[in-house]
Amino acid sequence: MNVEQDLAKLRRLNSMVNGPLKLVINEVLAVTPLVIDWINVQTSGSAVCRYKPDNVRQYEVRYQFGNIGNLVHELTHVAVNESYNLDFINYPNRTSIDLPDRELDILGRCKNEDLRQTKQMSQSMNTAKSDILMRIKGWTDASTELSPAQKSDISNKLIYGMINPHKESDTVLNQILVWLFEWGFPVTGQYINKPVVNALYEELSTAVKTAHLERKNSRLRNKIREK
Ligand SMILES: [Zn+2]
């Protein structure tokens, strides 16, 4: 597996899906030209920004080649940073903050990102994002259609998001939506009682769409400001 094959797979997926999943896949495909370095890793992953003069931003993305959910997660980090320009924070914050200047290494990577993130995050937004993750976890736990392994994969990812909601809420929601689709959900066809996993899929889709629209609106606001 290589990056080109994974991006082709993502484009293929884009042509197969509808609704919020399609919005997100479109959004992450749109930021791929900003990625100038793709690095294969065995576990986890990351997206790092290289800040260049004249407001130019480029990215290095580490992900597990062949793993589309992981790829969408890391590209969501890029989309988030492009939307809010708040050092990868997953929501807008328009209060004025006394912020230390970025200290950059030779490649333009921010060395004081943690400090800047701490200054720019909002406790109330962290709580709001965590509440969403918690609600999705409730639907996951209640779902009888997911296997134990699938449940624990989703739960672990949601808990990861709850630990750092300012950095990892939109990312894990998008990743889990990709997983559910790859696992063949929602359940289609006739049923008497609505499958719980379908309710999970709908709740998650709504959360994903809301976060997507918030990012999109923020990008539009930034564009207007730049003019
Ligand atoms: Zn992440």
Side-chain angles (χ1 to χ4, degrees):
M1 275 294 176
N2 61 41
V3 179
E4 272 321 306
Q5 286 171 311
D6 286 343
L7 294 180
K9 199 168 163 189
L10 207 49
R11 281 189 286 269
R12 217 157 42 237
L13 190 60
N14 192 36
S15 67
M16 290 164 58
V17 298
N18 273 310
L21 182 54
K22 194 181 189 76
L23 295 176
V24 159
I25 293 176
N26 263 317
E27 184 185 8
V28 300
L29 280 171
V31 297
T32 54
L34 303 176
V35 181
I36 54 157
D37 202 3
W38 300 94
I39 300 133
N40 191 11
V41 292
Q42 293 312 306
T43 57
S44 183
S46 65
V48 175
C49 185
R50 297 184 186 175
Y51 296 92
K52 303 289 179 180
D54 301 321
N55 244 342
V56 171
R57 291 177 296 276
Q58 299 172 326
Y59 292 86
E60 41 190 85
V61 166
R62 287 167 187 75
Y63 79 101
Q64 300 152 44
F65 285 13
N67 184 334
I68 297 300
N70 182 233
L71 172 60
V72 168
H73 176 123
E74 301 310 334
L75 288 175
T76 301
H77 279 300
V78 176
V80 159
N81 200 44
E82 286 301 302
S83 302
Y84 300 126
N85 203 6
L86 288 178
D87 297 76
F88 291 92
I89 286 186
N90 281 214
Y91 44 76
N93 188 347
R94 276 175 275 172
T95 54
S96 64
I97 303 151
D98 184 21
L99 201 57
D101 286 341
R102 279 199 184 100
E103 291 166 22
L104 302 179
D105 72 7
I106 193 143
L107 287 174
R109 298 177 295 202
C110 185
K111 294 191 288 181
N112 54 345
E113 195 166 77
D114 282 349
L115 174 63
R116 287 172 54 92
Q117 285 172 337
T118 306
K119 295 235 178 213
Q120 291 171 106
M121 71 184 186
S122 135
Q123 214 44 65
S124 64
M125 283 303 293
N126 282 353
T127 305
K129 290 282 186 182
S130 281
D131 287 350
I132 293 167
L133 300 175
M134 190 58 93
R135 207 174 61 237
I136 300 298
K137 189 172 179 322
W139 284 109
T140 305
D141 295 340
S143 172
T144 48
E145 300 84 2
L146 293 166
S147 72
Q150 290 170 334
K151 273 191 188 189
S152 89
D153 282 352
I154 297 179
S155 287
N156 288 340
K157 204 45 86 176
L158 289 168
I159 291 164
Y160 180 71
M162 284 180 238
I163 294 168
N164 281 308
H166 63 300
K167 289 192 286 189
E168 301 287 355
S169 45
D170 293 11
T171 52
V172 302
L173 291 174
N174 288 353
Q175 182 169 10
I176 295 167
L177 191 58
V178 171
W179 282 352
L180 284 177
F181 183 82
E182 286 184 323
W183 294 337
F185 297 115
V187 177
T188 53
Q190 287 192 322
Y191 40 78
I192 297 164
N193 297 312
K194 178 161 141 181
V196 181
V197 73
N198 286 21
L200 163 65
Y201 195 92
E202 286 165 25
E203 283 281 328
L204 178 60
S205 293
T206 302
V208 160
K209 184 176 179 181
T210 304
H212 163 82
L213 291 177
E214 196 165 33
R215 291 191 299 273
K216 186 176 170 186
N217 288 334
S218 182
R219 286 197 296 274
L220 292 173
R221 276 198 304 272
N222 291 342
K223 221 171 245 167
I224 291 163
R225 212 174 300 140
E226 277 165 22
K227 275 180 187 159

